[in-house]
Coordinates of all heavy atoms in Angstrom, one line a residue:
M1 N 0.8 -1.2 0.0 CA 0.0 0.0 0.0 C 0.9 1.3 0.0 O 0.6 2.2 -0.7 CB -0.9 0.0 1.2 CG -1.9 1.1 1.3 SD -3.1 1.1 0.0 CE -4.1 2.4 0.4
K2 N 1.9 1.2 0.8 CA 2.8 2.4 0.9 C 3.5 2.6 -0.5 O 3.7 3.8 -0.9 CB 3.9 2.2 2.0 CG 3.3 2.3 3.4 CD 4.4 2.1 4.4 CE 3.9 2.2 5.8 NZ 4.9 1.9 6.8
K3 N 3.8 1.5 -1.2 CA 4.5 1.7 -2.5 C 3.5 2.3 -3.5 O 3.9 3.1 -4.3 CB 4.9 0.3 -3.0 CG 6.1 -0.2 -2.2 CD 6.5 -1.6 -2.8 CE 7.7 -2.1 -2.0 NZ 8.1 -3.4 -2.5
V4 N 2.2 2.0 -3.4 CA 1.3 2.5 -4.3 C 1.1 4.0 -4.1 O 1.1 4.8 -5.0 CB -0.1 1.8 -4.2 CG1 -1.2 2.5 -5.0 CG2 0.0 0.4 -4.6
I5 N 1.0 4.4 -2.8 CA 0.9 5.8 -2.4 C 2.1 6.6 -2.8 O 2.0 7.7 -3.4 CB 0.6 6.0 -0.9 CG1 -0.8 5.4 -0.6 CG2 0.7 7.4 -0.5 CD1 -1.0 5.3 0.9
F6 N 3.3 6.0 -2.6 CA 4.5 6.7 -3.0 C 4.6 6.9 -4.5 O 4.9 7.9 -5.0 CB 5.7 5.9 -2.5 CG 7.0 6.5 -2.9 CD1 7.5 7.6 -2.3 CD2 7.8 5.9 -3.9 CE1 8.7 8.2 -2.7 CE2 9.0 6.4 -4.3 CZ 9.5 7.6 -3.7
A7 N 4.3 5.8 -5.3 CA 4.3 5.9 -6.7 C 3.3 6.9 -7.3 O 3.6 7.6 -8.2 CB 4.0 4.5 -7.3
T8 N 2.1 6.9 -6.6 CA 1.1 7.9 -7.1 C 1.7 9.3 -6.8 O 1.5 10.2 -7.7 CB -0.2 7.7 -6.3 OG1 -0.6 6.4 -6.6 CG2 -1.2 8.7 -6.8
G9 N 2.2 9.6 -5.6 CA 2.8 10.9 -5.3 C 3.9 11.3 -6.3 O 4.0 12.4 -6.7
L10 N 4.8 10.3 -6.6 CA 5.9 10.5 -7.5 C 5.3 10.9 -8.9 O 5.8 11.8 -9.5 CB 6.8 9.3 -7.6 CG 8.1 9.4 -8.3 CD1 8.9 10.5 -7.7 CD2 8.8 8.1 -8.3
F11 N 4.3 10.2 -9.3 CA 3.7 10.5 -10.6 C 3.1 11.9 -10.7 O 3.3 12.6 -11.6 CB 2.6 9.4 -11.0 CG 1.8 9.8 -12.2 CD1 2.4 9.6 -13.4 CD2 0.6 10.3 -12.1 CE1 1.7 9.9 -14.6 CE2 -0.1 10.6 -13.2 CZ 0.4 10.4 -14.5
L12 N 2.4 12.2 -9.6 CA 1.8 13.6 -9.6 C 2.8 14.7 -9.5 O 2.7 15.7 -10.2 CB 0.8 13.7 -8.4 CG -0.4 12.8 -8.4 CD1 -1.2 12.9 -7.1 CD2 -1.3 13.3 -9.6
A13 N 3.9 14.4 -8.8 CA 5.0 15.4 -8.8 C 5.6 15.6 -10.2 O 5.9 16.7 -10.6 CB 6.0 15.0 -7.7
A14 N 5.8 14.5 -10.8 CA 6.4 14.6 -12.2 C 5.5 15.3 -13.1 O 5.9 16.1 -14.0 CB 6.8 13.2 -12.7
A15 N 4.2 14.9 -13.1 CA 3.2 15.6 -14.0 C 3.2 17.1 -13.7 O 3.1 17.9 -14.7 CB 1.8 14.9 -13.8
T16 N 3.2 17.5 -12.5 CA 3.2 18.9 -12.1 C 4.5 19.6 -12.7 O 4.4 20.7 -13.2 CB 3.1 19.1 -10.6 OG1 1.9 18.4 -10.1 CG2 3.1 20.5 -10.2
A17 N 5.6 18.9 -12.5 CA 6.9 19.5 -13.0 C 6.8 19.7 -14.5 O 7.2 20.7 -15.0 CB 8.0 18.6 -12.7
F18 N 6.3 18.7 -15.3 CA 6.1 18.9 -16.7 C 5.2 20.0 -17.1 O 5.4 20.8 -18.0 CB 5.7 17.6 -17.4 CG 6.8 16.6 -17.4 CD1 6.6 15.3 -16.9 CD2 8.0 16.8 -18.1 CE1 7.6 14.4 -16.9 CE2 9.0 15.9 -18.1 CZ 8.8 14.7 -17.6
A19 N 4.1 20.2 -16.3 CA 3.1 21.2 -16.6 C 3.7 22.6 -16.4 O 3.6 23.5 -17.1 CB 1.9 21.0 -15.8
V20 N 4.5 22.7 -15.3 CA 5.1 24.0 -15.0 C 6.2 24.3 -16.0 O 6.4 25.5 -16.3 CB 5.7 24.0 -13.5 CG1 6.5 25.2 -13.2 CG2 4.5 23.9 -12.5
T21 N 7.0 23.3 -16.4 CA 8.1 23.5 -17.3 C 7.6 24.2 -18.6 O 8.3 25.0 -19.2 CB 8.8 22.2 -17.7 OG1 9.2 21.6 -16.4 CG2 9.9 22.3 -18.6
D22 N 6.4 23.9 -19.1 CA 5.9 24.5 -20.3 C 5.8 26.0 -20.2 O 5.9 26.7 -21.2 CB 4.5 23.9 -20.7 CG 4.7 22.5 -21.2 OD1 5.8 22.1 -21.6 OD2 3.6 21.8 -21.2
K23 N 5.6 26.5 -19.0 CA 5.4 27.9 -18.8 C 6.7 28.6 -18.5 O 6.7 29.9 -18.4 CB 4.4 28.1 -17.6 CG 3.1 27.6 -17.9 CD 2.1 27.7 -16.7 CE 0.8 27.0 -17.0 NZ -0.1 27.0 -15.9
L24 N 7.8 27.9 -18.3 CA 9.1 28.5 -18.0 C 9.9 28.9 -19.3 O 9.6 28.4 -20.3 CB 9.9 27.6 -17.2 CG 9.4 27.3 -15.8 CD1 10.3 26.2 -15.1 CD2 9.3 28.5 -14.9
D25 N 10.8 29.8 -19.1 CA 11.7 30.2 -20.2 C 12.6 29.0 -20.6 O 13.2 28.4 -19.7 CB 12.6 31.3 -19.7 CG 13.6 31.8 -20.7 OD1 13.5 31.4 -21.8 OD2 14.5 32.6 -20.3
P26 N 12.6 28.6 -21.8 CA 13.3 27.4 -22.3 C 14.8 27.5 -22.0 O 15.4 26.5 -21.7 CB 13.1 27.4 -23.8 CG 11.9 28.2 -24.0 CD 11.8 29.2 -22.9
Q27 N 15.4 28.7 -22.0 CA 16.8 28.9 -21.7 C 17.0 28.6 -20.2 O 18.0 27.9 -19.8 CB 17.3 30.3 -22.0 CG 17.4 30.5 -23.5 CD 17.9 31.9 -23.8 OE1 17.7 32.8 -23.0 NE2 18.4 32.1 -25.0
L28 N 16.1 29.0 -19.3 CA 16.2 28.7 -17.9 C 16.1 27.2 -17.6 O 16.9 26.7 -16.9 CB 15.2 29.5 -17.1 CG 15.1 29.3 -15.6 CD1 16.4 29.8 -15.0 CD2 13.9 30.0 -15.0
V29 N 15.2 26.6 -18.3 CA 15.0 25.1 -18.1 C 16.3 24.4 -18.6 O 16.8 23.5 -17.9 CB 13.8 24.6 -18.9 CG1 13.7 23.1 -18.9 CG2 12.5 25.3 -18.3
A30 N 16.9 24.8 -19.7 CA 18.1 24.2 -20.2 C 19.2 24.4 -19.3 O 20.0 23.4 -19.0 CB 18.4 24.7 -21.6
K31 N 19.4 25.6 -18.8 CA 20.4 25.9 -17.8 C 20.3 25.0 -16.6 O 21.3 24.5 -16.1 CB 20.4 27.4 -17.5 CG 21.6 27.8 -16.6 CD 21.6 29.3 -16.5 CE 22.8 29.8 -15.7 NZ 22.9 31.2 -15.5
K32 N 19.1 24.9 -16.1 CA 18.9 24.1 -14.9 C 19.2 22.6 -15.1 O 19.7 21.9 -14.3 CB 17.4 24.3 -14.4 CG 17.1 23.7 -13.0 CD 17.9 24.5 -12.0 CE 17.4 24.2 -10.6 NZ 18.2 24.8 -9.6
A33 N 18.8 22.1 -16.3 CA 19.0 20.7 -16.7 C 20.5 20.5 -16.8 O 21.0 19.4 -16.3 CB 18.3 20.4 -18.0
E34 N 21.3 21.4 -17.3 CA 22.7 21.2 -17.4 C 23.3 21.2 -16.0 O 24.2 20.4 -15.7 CB 23.4 22.4 -18.2 CG 23.1 22.3 -19.6 CD 23.4 23.6 -20.4 OE1 24.0 24.5 -19.7 OE2 23.2 23.6 -21.6
S35 N 22.8 22.0 -15.1 CA 23.3 22.0 -13.7 C 23.0 20.7 -13.0 O 23.9 20.1 -12.3 CB 22.6 23.2 -12.9 OG 23.0 23.1 -11.6
I36 N 21.8 20.2 -13.2 CA 21.4 18.9 -12.7 C 22.3 17.8 -13.2 O 22.7 16.9 -12.5 CB 19.9 18.6 -12.9 CG1 19.1 19.6 -12.0 CG2 19.6 17.2 -12.6 CD1 17.6 19.6 -12.4
E37 N 22.6 17.9 -14.5 CA 23.4 16.9 -15.2 C 24.8 16.8 -14.5 O 25.3 15.7 -14.3 CB 23.5 17.2 -16.7 CG 24.4 16.3 -17.5 CD 24.5 16.7 -18.9 OE1 23.5 17.0 -19.5 OE2 25.7 16.8 -19.4
K38 N 25.4 18.0 -14.2 CA 26.7 18.0 -13.6 C 26.6 17.4 -12.2 O 27.5 16.7 -11.8 CB 27.3 19.4 -13.6 CG 27.7 19.9 -15.0 CD 28.8 19.0 -15.6 CE 29.2 19.5 -16.9 NZ 30.2 18.6 -17.5
V39 N 25.6 17.8 -11.5 CA 25.4 17.2 -10.1 C 25.3 15.7 -10.2 O 25.9 15.0 -9.4 CB 24.2 17.8 -9.4 CG1 23.9 17.1 -8.1 CG2 24.4 19.3 -9.2
D40 N 24.6 15.2 -11.2 CA 24.4 13.8 -11.4 C 25.7 13.1 -11.7 O 26.0 12.0 -11.2 CB 23.4 13.5 -12.5 CG 22.0 13.8 -12.2 OD1 21.7 14.0 -11.0 OD2 21.2 13.9 -13.1
V41 N 26.6 13.8 -12.4 CA 28.0 13.2 -12.7 C 28.7 13.0 -11.4 O 29.3 11.9 -11.1 CB 28.8 14.1 -13.7 CG1 30.2 13.6 -13.7 CG2 28.2 14.0 -15.0
I42 N 28.7 14.0 -10.6 CA 29.4 13.9 -9.3 C 28.7 12.8 -8.4 O 29.4 12.0 -7.8 CB 29.4 15.3 -8.5 CG1 30.4 16.2 -9.3 CG2 29.9 15.1 -7.1 CD1 30.5 17.6 -8.7
A43 N 27.4 12.9 -8.3 CA 26.7 11.9 -7.5 C 26.9 10.5 -8.0 O 27.1 9.5 -7.2 CB 25.2 12.2 -7.5
K44 N 27.0 10.3 -9.3 CA 27.2 9.0 -9.9 C 28.6 8.4 -9.7 O 28.7 7.2 -9.4 CB 26.9 9.1 -11.4 CG 27.0 7.7 -12.1 CD 26.6 7.9 -13.6 CE 27.8 7.7 -14.5 NZ 27.5 7.9 -15.9
L45 N 29.6 9.3 -9.8 CA 30.9 8.8 -9.7 C 31.6 8.9 -8.3 O 32.6 8.3 -8.0 CB 31.8 9.6 -10.7 CG 31.4 9.4 -12.2 CD1 32.3 10.3 -13.0 CD2 31.4 8.0 -12.6
D46 N 31.0 9.7 -7.4 CA 31.5 9.9 -6.1 C 31.4 8.7 -5.2 O 30.4 8.6 -4.5 CB 30.8 11.2 -5.5 CG 31.5 11.6 -4.2 OD1 32.6 11.1 -3.8 OD2 30.8 12.4 -3.5
Q47 N 32.4 7.8 -5.2 CA 32.3 6.6 -4.5 C 32.3 6.8 -3.0 O 31.6 6.0 -2.3 CB 33.4 5.7 -4.9 CG 33.4 5.3 -6.3 CD 34.6 4.5 -6.8 OE1 35.6 4.3 -6.0 NE2 34.6 4.1 -8.0
D48 N 33.0 7.7 -2.4 CA 33.0 7.9 -1.0 C 32.0 8.9 -0.5 O 31.9 9.3 0.7 CB 34.4 8.3 -0.5 CG 35.0 9.6 -1.1 OD1 34.2 10.3 -1.8 OD2 36.1 9.9 -0.8
K49 N 31.2 9.5 -1.4 CA 30.1 10.4 -1.1 C 30.5 11.6 -0.3 O 29.8 12.1 0.6 CB 29.0 9.6 -0.3 CG 28.5 8.4 -1.1 CD 27.9 8.7 -2.4 CE 27.4 7.5 -3.1 NZ 27.3 7.6 -4.6
D50 N 31.7 12.2 -0.7 CA 32.2 13.4 0.0 C 31.8 14.7 -0.8 O 32.2 15.8 -0.4 CB 33.7 13.4 0.3 CG 34.5 13.3 -1.0 OD1 33.9 13.2 -2.1 OD2 35.7 13.5 -0.9
G51 N 31.1 14.5 -2.0 CA 30.7 15.6 -2.7 C 31.7 16.1 -3.7 O 31.6 17.1 -4.4
K52 N 32.9 15.4 -3.8 CA 34.0 15.8 -4.7 C 34.4 14.6 -5.4 O 34.2 13.4 -5.0 CB 35.1 16.4 -3.9 CG 34.8 17.6 -3.1 CD 36.0 18.1 -2.3 CE 35.6 19.3 -1.5 NZ 36.7 19.8 -0.7
L53 N 35.1 14.8 -6.6 CA 35.6 13.7 -7.4 C 37.1 13.7 -7.3 O 37.7 14.7 -7.6 CB 35.1 13.7 -8.8 CG 33.6 13.5 -9.0 CD1 33.3 13.7 -10.5 CD2 33.2 12.2 -8.5
T54 N 37.7 12.5 -7.0 CA 39.1 12.4 -7.1 C 39.4 11.8 -8.5 O 38.5 11.4 -9.2 CB 39.7 11.4 -6.1 OG1 39.1 10.1 -6.3 CG2 39.4 11.8 -4.7
I55 N 40.7 11.8 -8.9 CA 41.1 11.3 -10.2 C 40.7 9.8 -10.3 O 40.3 9.3 -11.3 CB 42.5 11.6 -10.5 CG1 42.8 11.4 -12.0 CG2 43.5 10.8 -9.7 CD1 43.9 12.2 -12.6
K56 N 40.9 9.1 -9.2 CA 40.5 7.7 -9.1 C 39.0 7.5 -9.4 O 38.6 6.6 -10.2 CB 40.9 7.1 -7.8 CG 40.6 5.6 -7.7 CD 40.9 5.1 -6.3 CE 40.6 3.6 -6.2 NZ 40.8 3.1 -4.8
E57 N 38.2 8.3 -8.8 CA 36.7 8.3 -9.1 C 36.4 8.7 -10.5 O 35.4 8.2 -11.1 CB 36.0 9.1 -8.1 CG 36.1 8.6 -6.7 CD 35.6 9.6 -5.6 OE1 35.8 10.8 -5.8 OE2 35.0 9.2 -4.6
A58 N 37.2 9.6 -11.1 CA 36.9 10.0 -12.5 C 37.3 9.1 -13.5 O 37.0 9.2 -14.7 CB 37.6 11.4 -12.7
M59 N 38.1 8.0 -13.2 CA 38.6 7.1 -14.1 C 37.6 6.4 -14.9 O 37.8 5.9 -16.1 CB 39.6 6.1 -13.5 CG 40.9 6.8 -13.0 SD 42.0 5.6 -12.2 CE 42.6 4.7 -13.6
S60 N 36.4 6.2 -14.4 CA 35.3 5.5 -15.1 C 34.6 6.4 -16.2 O 33.8 5.9 -16.9 CB 34.3 5.0 -14.1 OG 33.6 6.0 -13.5
D61 N 35.0 7.7 -16.3 CA 34.4 8.6 -17.3 C 35.6 9.1 -18.1 O 36.3 10.1 -17.7 CB 33.6 9.7 -16.6 CG 32.9 10.6 -17.6 OD1 33.5 10.8 -18.7 OD2 31.8 11.1 -17.3
P62 N 35.9 8.6 -19.3 CA 37.0 9.0 -20.1 C 37.1 10.5 -20.4 O 38.1 11.1 -20.4 CB 37.0 8.1 -21.3 CG 36.1 7.0 -21.0 CD 35.2 7.5 -19.9
V63 N 35.9 11.1 -20.7 CA 35.9 12.5 -21.1 C 36.2 13.3 -19.8 O 37.0 14.3 -19.9 CB 34.5 12.9 -21.6 CG1 34.4 14.4 -21.8 CG2 34.1 12.1 -22.9
L64 N 35.7 13.0 -18.7 CA 36.0 13.7 -17.5 C 37.5 13.5 -17.1 O 38.1 14.5 -16.7 CB 35.1 13.3 -16.3 CG 35.3 13.9 -15.0 CD1 35.1 15.4 -15.0 CD2 34.4 13.3 -13.9
L65 N 37.9 12.3 -17.2 CA 39.3 12.0 -16.9 C 40.3 12.9 -17.8 O 41.3 13.4 -17.3 CB 39.6 10.5 -17.1 CG 41.0 10.0 -16.7 CD1 41.2 10.3 -15.2 CD2 41.1 8.6 -17.0
A66 N 40.0 13.0 -19.1 CA 40.8 13.7 -20.0 C 40.9 15.2 -19.6 O 41.8 15.9 -19.9 CB 40.3 13.6 -21.4
S67 N 39.8 15.7 -19.0 CA 39.7 17.2 -18.7 C 40.0 17.4 -17.2 O 39.9 18.6 -16.7 CB 38.3 17.7 -19.0 OG 38.0 17.4 -20.3
F68 N 40.3 16.4 -16.4 CA 40.4 16.5 -15.0 C 41.4 17.7 -14.6 O 41.0 18.5 -13.7 CB 41.0 15.2 -14.4 CG 40.8 15.2 -12.9 CD1 39.7 14.6 -12.3 CD2 41.8 15.7 -12.0 CE1 39.5 14.6 -11.0 CE2 41.6 15.6 -10.6 CZ 40.5 15.1 -10.1
G69 N 42.5 17.8 -15.2 CA 43.5 18.9 -14.8 C 43.0 20.3 -15.1 O 43.3 21.2 -14.3
K70 N 42.2 20.4 -16.1 CA 41.6 21.7 -16.5 C 40.5 22.1 -15.5 O 40.3 23.2 -15.2 CB 41.1 21.7 -17.9 CG 42.2 21.6 -18.9 CD 41.7 21.6 -20.3 CE 42.8 21.5 -21.4 NZ 42.3 21.4 -22.7
I71 N 39.7 21.1 -15.1 CA 38.5 21.4 -14.3 C 39.0 21.6 -12.8 O 38.4 22.5 -12.2 CB 37.5 20.2 -14.3 CG1 37.0 20.0 -15.8 CG2 36.4 20.4 -13.3 CD1 36.2 18.8 -16.0
D72 N 40.0 20.9 -12.4 CA 40.5 21.0 -11.0 C 41.4 22.3 -10.9 O 42.6 22.3 -10.9 CB 41.3 19.8 -10.6 CG 41.9 19.9 -9.2 OD1 41.4 20.7 -8.4 OD2 42.9 19.2 -9.0
T73 N 40.7 23.4 -10.9 CA 41.5 24.7 -11.0 C 42.3 25.1 -9.8 O 43.3 25.8 -9.9 CB 40.5 25.9 -11.3 OG1 39.5 25.9 -10.3 CG2 39.8 25.7 -12.7
D74 N 41.9 24.5 -8.6 CA 42.7 24.9 -7.4 C 43.9 23.8 -7.2 O 44.7 24.0 -6.3 CB 41.9 25.0 -6.2 CG 41.2 23.7 -5.8 OD1 41.4 22.7 -6.4 OD2 40.3 23.8 -4.8
G75 N 43.9 22.8 -8.0 CA 45.0 21.9 -8.0 C 45.1 21.0 -6.8 O 46.1 20.4 -6.4
D76 N 43.9 20.8 -6.1 CA 43.9 19.9 -4.9 C 43.7 18.5 -5.2 O 43.6 17.6 -4.3 CB 42.9 20.5 -3.9 CG 41.5 20.3 -4.3 OD1 41.2 19.9 -5.5 OD2 40.6 20.5 -3.5
G77 N 43.6 18.1 -6.5 CA 43.4 16.7 -6.8 C 42.0 16.2 -6.7 O 41.7 15.0 -6.8
Q78 N 41.1 17.2 -6.6 CA 39.6 16.9 -6.5 C 38.9 17.9 -7.3 O 39.2 19.0 -7.4 CB 39.2 16.9 -5.0 CG 39.8 16.0 -4.1 CD 39.3 16.1 -2.7 OE1 38.6 17.1 -2.3 NE2 39.7 15.2 -1.8
I79 N 37.7 17.4 -7.8 CA 36.8 18.3 -8.6 C 35.6 18.6 -7.7 O 34.9 17.6 -7.3 CB 36.4 17.7 -9.9 CG1 37.6 17.5 -10.8 CG2 35.3 18.6 -10.5 CD1 37.2 16.9 -12.1
S80 N 35.4 19.8 -7.3 CA 34.3 20.2 -6.5 C 33.1 20.6 -7.3 O 33.3 20.7 -8.6 CB 34.7 21.4 -5.6 OG 34.9 22.5 -6.4
Q81 N 32.0 20.7 -6.7 CA 30.8 21.1 -7.5 C 31.0 22.5 -8.1 O 30.6 22.7 -9.3 CB 29.6 21.2 -6.6 CG 28.3 21.6 -7.2 CD 27.9 20.6 -8.3 OE1 28.0 19.4 -8.2 NE2 27.4 21.1 -9.4
S82 N 31.6 23.4 -7.4 CA 31.8 24.7 -8.0 C 32.8 24.7 -9.2 O 32.7 25.4 -10.2 CB 32.3 25.7 -6.9 OG 33.5 25.3 -6.4
E83 N 33.8 23.8 -9.1 CA 34.8 23.7 -10.2 C 34.0 23.1 -11.4 O 34.3 23.5 -12.6 CB 36.0 22.8 -9.8 CG 36.9 23.5 -8.9 CD 38.0 22.6 -8.3 OE1 37.7 21.4 -8.0 OE2 39.1 23.1 -8.2
M84 N 33.1 22.1 -11.2 CA 32.4 21.5 -12.2 C 31.5 22.5 -12.9 O 31.4 22.6 -14.1 CB 31.6 20.3 -11.7 CG 30.9 19.5 -12.7 SD 32.1 18.5 -13.7 CE 32.2 17.0 -12.7
E85 N 30.8 23.3 -12.1 CA 30.0 24.4 -12.7 C 30.8 25.4 -13.5 O 30.3 25.8 -14.5 CB 29.1 25.0 -11.6 CG 28.1 24.1 -11.0 CD 27.4 24.7 -9.8 OE1 27.7 25.8 -9.4 OE2 26.6 24.0 -9.2
A86 N 31.9 25.8 -13.0 CA 32.8 26.8 -13.7 C 33.2 26.2 -15.0 O 33.3 26.9 -16.0 CB 34.0 27.2 -12.8
A87 N 33.6 24.9 -15.0 CA 34.0 24.3 -16.3 C 32.9 24.3 -17.3 O 33.1 24.6 -18.5 CB 34.4 22.9 -16.0
K88 N 31.7 24.1 -16.9 CA 30.5 24.1 -17.8 C 30.3 25.5 -18.3 O 30.0 25.7 -19.5 CB 29.3 23.6 -17.1 CG 28.1 23.5 -18.0 CD 28.4 22.4 -19.1 CE 27.2 22.3 -20.0 NZ 27.5 21.4 -21.1
L89 N 30.4 26.5 -17.5 CA 30.3 27.9 -17.9 C 31.3 28.3 -18.9 O 31.1 28.9 -19.9 CB 30.3 28.9 -16.7 CG 29.1 28.9 -15.8 CD1 29.4 29.8 -14.6 CD2 27.9 29.3 -16.5
T90 N 32.6 27.9 -18.7 CA 33.7 28.1 -19.6 C 33.4 27.5 -20.9 O 33.6 28.0 -22.0 CB 35.0 27.6 -19.0 OG1 35.2 28.3 -17.8 CG2 36.2 27.9 -20.0
E91 N 32.9 26.2 -20.9 CA 32.6 25.5 -22.1 C 31.5 26.2 -22.9 O 31.6 26.3 -24.1 CB 32.1 24.1 -21.7 CG 31.7 23.2 -22.9 CD 31.2 21.9 -22.4 OE1 31.9 21.2 -21.5 OE2 30.1 21.5 -22.8
Q92 N 30.5 26.8 -22.2 CA 29.4 27.5 -22.9 C 29.9 28.8 -23.5 O 29.6 29.1 -24.6 CB 28.3 27.8 -21.9 CG 27.5 26.6 -21.5 CD 26.5 26.9 -20.4 OE1 26.5 28.0 -19.8 NE2 25.6 26.0 -20.2
E93 N 30.8 29.5 -22.8 CA 31.4 30.7 -23.3 C 32.2 30.5 -24.6 O 32.2 31.3 -25.5 CB 32.2 31.4 -22.2 CG 31.4 32.0 -21.1 CD 32.2 32.4 -19.9 OE1 33.5 32.3 -20.0 OE2 31.7 32.9 -18.9
Q94 N 32.9 29.4 -24.6 CA 33.8 29.1 -25.7 C 32.9 28.7 -26.9 O 33.3 28.9 -28.1 CB 34.8 28.0 -25.4 CG 35.9 28.5 -24.4 CD 36.8 27.4 -24.0 OE1 36.6 26.2 -24.3 NE2 37.8 27.8 -23.3
G95 N 31.8 28.1 -26.7 CA 30.9 27.7 -27.7 C 30.1 28.8 -28.3 O 29.6 28.7 -29.4
S96 N 30.0 29.9 -27.6 CA 29.3 31.1 -28.1 C 30.0 31.9 -29.2 O 31.2 31.9 -29.3 CB 28.9 32.0 -27.0 OG 28.1 31.4 -26.1

């Protein structure tokens, strides 16, 4: 019973999110999606769940691994959320 209630709530939340998204600025939605995507990369690869990626944790993503030194701007051997976001902004500026 709890699973049915939870699934129904999840469905209603998703339906509401899609309905609201139609009324939002497409650029804002895209920017938010990119931010979530970067958070997902950290969440997905962060084995010790400290909110940062080490080079060892980044080894399973060849693209991230190849860019590790550029993204790790403070040189501490870890990629923080702010460094990941800054790398995405730099990538967007260069693409413009």
Side-chain angles (χ1 to χ4, degrees):
M1 181 68 173
K2 289 181 183 178
K3 289 182 181 179
V4 172
I5 293 171
F6 177 75
T8 303
L10 189 59
F11 173 76
L12 291 173
T16 302
F18 285 121
V20 170
T21 301
D22 287 342
K23 297 176 185 177
L24 294 176
D25 178 13
Q27 289 179 337
L28 179 63
V29 172
K31 187 175 182 179
K32 192 65 166 174
E34 289 168 0
S35 177
I36 290 169
E37 179 182 309
K38 289 299 182 184
V39 171
D40 288 345
V41 168
I42 290 178
K44 183 175 112 180
L45 301 177
D46 185 15
Q47 296 173 357
D48 61 4
K49 305 300 178 201
D50 65 351
K52 299 177 182 179
L53 294 179
T54 63
I55 196 155
K56 182 180 177 184
E57 292 169 324
M59 289 179 75
S60 62
D61 185 325
V63 174
L64 179 62
L65 186 60
S67 303
F68 194 92
K70 292 179 184 177
I71 298 171
D72 180 22
T73 55
D74 64 5
D76 68 351
Q78 300 178 348
I79 296 176
S80 66
Q81 180 61 40
S82 60
E83 288 172 321
M84 189 70 88
E85 289 172 4
K88 186 62 181 175
L89 288 174
T90 301
E91 180 182 308
Q92 288 174 347
E93 290 169 0
Q94 290 175 352
S96 299

